[in-house]
Every structure is written in structure tokens, then in C-alpha cells.
Amino acid sequence: MLFDDQTIERIAAALDEPEDTGKWSPLVILNDSGERPPLILVHGHGGNVLFYRELAQLLGEDQPVHGLQSQGLG
């Protein structure tokens, strides 16, 4: 935004526009395949769920694994 809107007026106008919250989701799909009920994991310290990726792989293809990530890390 700082490079696109190079005047104070344009930056202020951009900040006044409502955020598009429709694109971000806290749900991160780590494994979407499988017939078992999904395992849903909540983020740890730092707000990220990507460290669960290896666990999702170890659980196998029949275990869906979803993570809830902290906002702002999308």
C-alpha cells in the first residue's frame, strides 16, 4: 500500500476502506482425504499450525487433519 498509494491522502483513504475479511479463514487444511472424523488442532505459541504438517503425514491418508490458525498469519 505504501508503494501504490504514495500520497498521505491516498494512504488515509485506503485505511478508511473496510477490510475484505471474506478471503481469510482460520481453517488450514493439512490433510483433506480420508473417511475418519477430522482431527482439528489449535495453533500453538506463535499462532501457526504448519508445525502440525508432519503429524498429519504420520497419521496417514485416511485421517483428515485441520488446523485453526491465529488471525494475521493467513
Side-chain angles (χ1 to χ4, degrees):
M1 175 178 60
L2 292 175
F3 297 110
D4 294 334
D5 302 319
Q6 296 180 2
T7 67
I8 297 297
E9 291 83 11
R10 285 183 174 170
I11 293 171
L15 290 174
D16 283 338
E17 291 178 14
E19 266 188 65
D20 182 13
T21 58
K23 292 183 180 179
W24 185 85
S25 172
L27 185 65
V28 176
I29 307 297
L30 298 168
N31 181 15
D32 203 22
S33 65
E35 297 296 321
R36 301 173 70 187
L39 175 63
I40 300 175
L41 305 168
V42 178
H43 66 82
H45 181 70
N48 204 316
V49 295
L50 293 180
F51 67 91
Y52 289 129
R53 194 171 82 204
E54 184 177 354
L55 173 63
Q57 291 172 347
L58 291 171
L59 290 173
E61 292 185 20
D62 193 38
Q63 177 62 62
V65 181
H66 302 172
L68 294 176
Q69 177 170 274
S70 179
Q71 187 171 8
L73 298 173

